[in-house]
Amino acid sequence: MRAMILESVGQPLQCRSIARPRPGPGQVLVKVAACGVCRTDLHVVDGDLTQPRLPIIPGHEIVGRVEAIGAGVEGLTLGDRVGIPWLGHTCGRCSFCLSQQENLCDAPLFTGYQIDGGYAQYTVAEAAYCFPLPASYADAAAAPLLCAGLIGYRALRMTGDAKRLGIYGFGAAAHILAQVAQFEGRSLYAFTRPGDCRAQAFARRLGCVWTGGSDARPDTDLDAAIIFAPVGELVPLALATVRKGGTVVLGGIHMSEIPAMPYRLLWGERTIRSVANLTRDDAREFLAIAGRTPIRTQIVPYALRDANTALRDLREGQLTGAAVLVPDHTS
Ligand SMILES: [Zn+2]
Ligand SMILES: [Zn+2]
């Protein structure tokens, strides 16, 4: 099969022809129909995340069909369409796994980081971490649900019942979360890079009631804010827009250093918290909501061999919506 492989950190992915993997006990082989490109993939390629298994096939927003089934797998049949997210394995024994916080497992494995992911024609995954997808979504349109959607949803839940919600960084996660949040009756305030008119227009098309640069302030205090951009300087800015008792949720897996700030920004029982990974319950809950809402995902398709271009476009902020790799199975 063809795969785009990260052989050493900081280098472009290499297009290689390698043996198709076989599913072991509890695993399935999945023929990849689409794989989303997530900012976390950039952090893996750049070495911001320091525990990759190398070489590794990135990609953790995988949509595909079950092509072969390993021993002991129940509940999946050949041809079933499944989604495969970032969380690929948990130990099931640590205190976190035993207290419904498997997202914080002490010995997890992540798809596209320690387990080969979806930048390939085929991938192998643990059946217990594969999820059925709502039928109303085409393959490529479903891909961004699996991380941008899921992590966005977990971040949204951390804001409680915030009515006025700020979002810093209006990319793939925000464009999905915006639709869910409005479905729930919340008002959204989109903060982009100062002067990024294209992102602000995108946010307005998605129904945000206010858009502006991250250095601007709406004329009302917000109940909560979510920061998706990996920029630590945004933390004090977001705290300054949030009312007493409000929460600032950090939705990214990596962030540049958070600068020192005056205590008064946090005073008044404001909270800062991060969102780490996902649980399988998050996935089931969010995918059920996605089936009902429905969410329109805006995608930008790329051929598998163009993965490096997709990563570059994401890095440079060239995308409105989500990049998705669509492998060609004819050659
Ligand atoms: Zn565990
Ligand atoms: Zn991701």
Side-chain angles (χ1 to χ4, degrees):
M1 69 168 187
R2 222 167 315 111
M4 298 298 292
I5 302 181
L6 179 68
E7 294 179 342
S8 52
V9 161
Q11 297 299 310
L13 306 182
Q14 303 295 323
C15 186
R16 302 279 188 227
S17 195
I18 60 171
R20 194 184 295 184
R22 288 159 183 261
Q27 297 179 327
V28 288
L29 173 70
V30 171
K31 183 177 184 180
V32 178
C35 183
V37 176
C38 174
R39 183 165 295 281
T40 298
D41 301 339
L42 280 181
H43 295 314
V44 171
V45 169
D46 292 348
D48 296 325
L49 302 183
T50 55
Q51 296 171 315
R53 192 211 74 201
L54 291 176
I56 187 80
I57 301 172
H60 57 271
E61 296 180 306
I62 308 169
V63 176
R65 286 174 183 74
V66 175
E67 179 92 358
I69 299 178
V73 172
E74 287 173 12
L76 284 175
T77 3
L78 292 179
D80 280 355
R81 185 169 82 150
V82 293
I84 304 168
W86 171 245
L87 185 72
H89 172 86
T90 53
C91 77
R93 292 188 300 273
C94 71
S95 60
F96 298 103
C97 282
L98 295 175
S99 60
Q100 293 177 326
Q101 292 180 293
E102 66 180 1
N103 59 309
L104 303 178
C105 175
D106 283 333
L109 296 173
F110 296 108
T111 313
Y113 187 36
Q114 288 112 9
I115 304 170
D116 278 333
Y119 287 19
Q121 290 177 303
Y122 294 85
T123 193
V124 158
E126 290 190 19
Y129 297 81
C130 295
F131 300 92
L133 297 167
S136 50
Y137 292 81
D139 292 339
L145 300 178
L146 286 155
C147 187
L150 258 167
I151 300 288
Y153 176 68
R154 191 173 168 85
L156 180 63
R157 281 211 341 237
M158 300 297 177
T159 68
D161 57 1
K163 286 280 175 286
R164 291 185 304 267
L165 179 62
I167 298 184
Y168 288 78
F170 211 87
H175 98 285
I176 295 175
L177 176 149
Q179 297 173 66
V180 178
Q182 286 175 85
F183 185 72
E184 295 177 344
R186 307 177 195 237
S187 299
L188 290 185
Y189 296 71
F191 297 82
T192 69
R193 290 181 222 217
D196 190 344
C197 301
R198 203 165 60 148
Q200 290 173 20
F202 182 49
R204 276 195 298 276
R205 279 204 303 281
L206 284 164
C208 292
V209 298
W210 180 94
T211 61
S214 54
D215 53 351
R217 277 195 68 168
D219 53 13
T220 177
D221 282 348
L222 305 181
D223 299 314
I226 302 173
I227 302 179
F228 288 116
V231 181
E233 283 86 8
L234 293 174
V235 174
L237 291 173
L239 275 172
T241 67
V242 163
R243 63 158 169 79
K244 286 178 282 188
T247 302
V248 174
V249 178
L250 313 183
I253 194 168
H254 173 80
M255 188 176 244
S256 58
E257 201 163 285
I258 300 172
M261 60 185 177
Y263 178 53
R264 65 174 165 74
L265 289 176
L266 193 59
W267 173 246
E269 301 198 339
R270 292 175 179 85
T271 307
I272 309 174
R273 69 169 301 166
S274 63
V275 164
N277 314 315
L278 68 135
T279 67
R280 284 174 281 176
D281 282 345
D282 292 331
R284 290 183 201 104
E285 199 175 308
F286 170 68
L287 290 169
I289 288 172
R292 289 197 304 270
T293 310
I295 299 159
R296 257 180 240 286
T297 54
Q298 180 158 332
I299 60 153
V300 185
Y302 292 82
L304 175 60
R305 66 178 171 281
D306 294 333
N308 288 310
T309 310
L311 288 167
R312 185 199 64 202
D313 291 349
L314 176 60
R315 185 192 305 281
E316 293 177 356
Q318 298 295 322
L319 295 162
T320 43
V324 176
L325 303 181
V326 180
D328 178 4
H329 285 278
T330 58
S331 55

